[in-house]
């Protein structure tokens, strides 16, 4: 059974930094893209950033230059380094990845349980 488990959230002051991690575990054949989404209270879930297995990245305009996504393919782990955090970054952050469990099966979309990031003085 495949699971995505996030860690690293917390409370940080404006201008501070946090590093999130997400580990995919279970019977995994391949993972192409790994992504971070976030959902603030009363708002829709939005894509923050994504990275392919080859290292190509995409960032939402709101986080460009402040957030950095990286991954360790051997460990099926994706990281999100968040610097210069702002109160508007406050949200639950979710890890997401379409994962293939065998060569004969199609990818299935998996989500983590989410980790709270609060930016406040």
């Amino acid at each position: 059974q495949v699971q995505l488990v996030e860690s690293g959230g917390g409370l940080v002051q404006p201008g501070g930094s946090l590093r999130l991690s997400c580990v995919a575990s279970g019977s995994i054949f391949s993972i192409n893209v790994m992504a971070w989404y976030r959902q603030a209270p009363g708002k829709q879930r939005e894509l923050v950033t994504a990275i392919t297995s080859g290292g190509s990245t995409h960032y939402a305009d709101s986080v460009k230059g402040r957030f950095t996504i990286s991954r360790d393919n051997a460990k099926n782990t994706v990281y999100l380094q968040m610097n210069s955090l702002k109160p508007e970054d406050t949200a639950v952050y979710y890890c997401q990845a379409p994962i293939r469990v065998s060569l004969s099966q199609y990818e299935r979309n998996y989500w983590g349980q989410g980790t709270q990031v609060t930016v406040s003085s």
Side-chain angles (χ1 to χ4, degrees):
Q1 187 165 350
V2 174
Q3 291 187 68
L4 296 179
V5 179
E6 303 103 333
S7 61
L11 173 64
V12 64
Q13 292 187 341
S17 298
L18 280 176
R19 189 188 194 215
L20 307 183
S21 300
C22 171
V23 180
S25 63
S27 178
I28 296 171
F29 178 76
S30 66
I31 307 175
N32 184 9
V33 179
M34 300 187 81
W36 289 97
Y37 285 75
R38 68 185 180 186
Q39 188 166 19
K43 294 188 176 182
Q44 288 190 331
R45 191 172 297 189
E46 63 174 355
L47 175 64
V48 177
T49 180
I51 185 169
T52 67
S53 57
S56 296
T57 58
H58 166 80
Y59 294 94
D61 288 343
S62 58
V63 305
K64 280 181 182 176
R66 301 188 298 120
F67 290 12
T68 302
I69 190 171
S70 60
R71 67 188 279 178
D72 184 331
N73 291 329
K75 296 181 179 179
N76 290 328
T77 300
V78 63
Y79 306 97
L80 180 60
Q81 178 67 44
M82 303 184 292
N83 299 328
S84 303
L85 283 161
K86 304 175 181 180
E88 51 263 43
D89 295 317
T90 296
V92 178
Y93 284 71
Y94 296 91
C95 177
Q96 179 268 337
I99 297 174
R100 203 170 192 180
V101 299
S102 72
L103 186 60
S104 62
Q105 296 190 30
Y106 291 108
E107 292 179 331
R108 175 186 166 186
N109 209 21
Y110 290 88
W111 290 87
Q113 81 286 355
T115 184
Q116 176 71 46
V117 171
T118 302
V119 185
S120 175
S121 54

